[in-house]
Amino acid sequence: MEIDFQKSVGLVPAIIQDERTGDVLMLGFMNRESLTETQRVREVVFFSRSRNKLWKKGESSGHVLQVREIRVDCDADALLVRVEPVGPGVCHEGYRSCFFRALGADGDTKVIAERTFEPEKVYGQEKAR
Amino acid sequence: MEIDFQKSVGLVPAIIQDERTGDVLMLGFMNRESLTETQRVREVVFFSRSRNKLWKKGESSGHVLQVREIRVDCDADALLVRVEPVGPGVCHEGYRSCFFRALGADGDTKVIAERTFEPEKVYGQEKAR
């Protein structure tokens, strides 16, 4: 089964899910090269749309995502990567999951999770991920 | 907090997660109008990239996705919609989740879930979702 990278300019969305808890941690994008690299090193490697290059999650923080299983959807245009996360969280704002805000009916958002680490100590002054 | 629809031609990826089991059921895309409609009717309404129009999940099958909570990620460019799914499954191939295949190191995929319904009986002859 061929992954369909063509539907969205060479990229497929990759959902990252904690295998133990079921929590959805983040969503990134992969191109063919980053998927191959992810499979080779068994740690998640995205394609960064803003930096236009491969981006190994945790390369600066050490919070890598160890791959346990990769699933493909019916149309082969989305991936679900089930991982064991290393460290206290994946979000550059200091949370376990990037989905730490709930959206209200009025469009306002509300933080619904506790911070698990101080991002300044992990990433220094730059907003690196 | 404004959802960032501009990063990807007016669309954001929306991960659909079963609130009770934690299973990731599918991934779709929403534009601003489909998100507004989803919030209004409290059932998931995507924007179909192939049909270029709003697409209420379950409009033909009756397998709607009742919205329990919508979460936003740190960059406000991805949504996590926690739902209570109605019916035996969301996938037009007859599975509870669209992510019913695992990807092997060799690129081959393997079905890892049981069928929960017969798609022909639900959708008729057309591949409708």
Side-chain angles (χ1 to χ4, degrees):
Chain A
M1 185 179 206
E2 273 292 303
I3 308 298
D4 183 357
F5 287 103
Q6 290 323 305
K7 205 172 279 178
S8 182
V9 294
L11 299 175
V12 293
I15 304 161
I16 307 300
Q17 183 180 35
D18 187 319
E19 191 194 34
R20 292 163 303 178
T21 64
D23 290 346
V24 174
L25 301 179
M26 63 184 299
L27 182 138
F29 287 86
M30 290 187 181
N31 63 1
R32 191 182 300 277
E33 188 186 358
S34 71
L35 174 58
T36 301
E37 187 66 5
T38 296
Q39 290 181 293
R40 191 180 69 80
V41 302
R42 303 300 290 169
E43 294 180 343
V44 171
V45 178
F46 294 117
F47 181 81
S48 167
R49 295 181 296 173
S50 55
R51 289 181 271 167
N52 203 38
K53 62 173 190 172
L54 294 196
W55 158 44
K56 181 172 176 183
K57 176 64 189 166
E59 63 189 359
S60 58
S61 65
H63 302 167
V64 297
L65 300 168
Q66 296 177 341
V67 174
R68 292 288 172 260
E69 185 183 47
I70 301 177
R71 294 187 189 165
V72 185
D73 78 345
C74 48
D75 293 332
D77 59 7
L79 300 173
L80 173 61
V81 186
R82 291 166 57 81
V83 304
E84 182 167 331
V86 172
V90 306
C91 184
H92 71 288
E93 294 197 30
Y95 294 87
R96 191 171 301 283
S97 163
C98 292
F99 294 96
F100 62 86
R101 288 190 186 93
L103 180 67
D106 52 6
D108 281 357
T109 55
K110 168 170 88 171
V111 172
I112 54 164
E114 298 285 324
R115 271 221 165 127
T116 51
F117 64 99
E118 294 177 49
E120 302 74 21
K121 291 194 179 163
V122 171
Y123 300 110
Q125 293 308 307
E126 65 173 333
K127 181 191 154 184
R129 302 202 288 186
Chain B
M1 185 178 204
E2 274 291 305
I3 307 299
D4 183 357
F5 287 103
Q6 290 324 305
K7 205 173 282 181
S8 182
V9 294
L11 300 174
V12 293
I15 304 161
I16 307 300
Q17 183 180 35
D18 187 319
E19 192 195 32
R20 292 164 303 179
T21 65
D23 290 345
V24 174
L25 301 179
M26 64 184 297
L27 182 138
F29 287 86
M30 291 188 180
N31 63 2
R32 191 182 300 276
E33 188 186 359
S34 70
L35 175 58
T36 301
E37 188 66 5
T38 296
Q39 290 182 293
R40 191 180 69 82
V41 301
R42 302 300 291 169
E43 294 180 342
V44 171
V45 178
F46 293 116
F47 181 82
S48 167
R49 294 181 296 172
S50 55
R51 289 180 269 167
N52 202 39
K53 63 172 189 174
L54 293 197
W55 159 44
K56 180 172 177 183
K57 176 64 189 166
E59 64 190 0
S60 58
S61 63
H63 301 167
V64 298
L65 300 168
Q66 297 178 341
V67 175
R68 293 287 173 261
E69 185 184 47
I70 301 177
R71 295 187 189 167
V72 186
D73 78 344
C74 47
D75 294 332
D77 60 7
L79 301 173
L80 173 62
V81 186
R82 291 166 57 82
V83 303
E84 182 167 330
V86 172
V90 305
C91 184
H92 71 288
E93 294 197 30
Y95 294 87
R96 190 171 301 284
S97 163
C98 292
F99 293 96
F100 63 85
R101 287 190 187 93
L103 180 67
D106 53 5
D108 281 358
T109 55
K110 170 171 87 170
V111 172
I112 53 164
E114 298 285 324
R115 271 220 165 127
T116 51
F117 65 100
E118 293 177 50
E120 303 75 19
K121 290 193 178 162
V122 171
Y123 300 110
Q125 295 306 310
E126 65 173 332
K127 181 192 153 182
R129 303 200 288 183

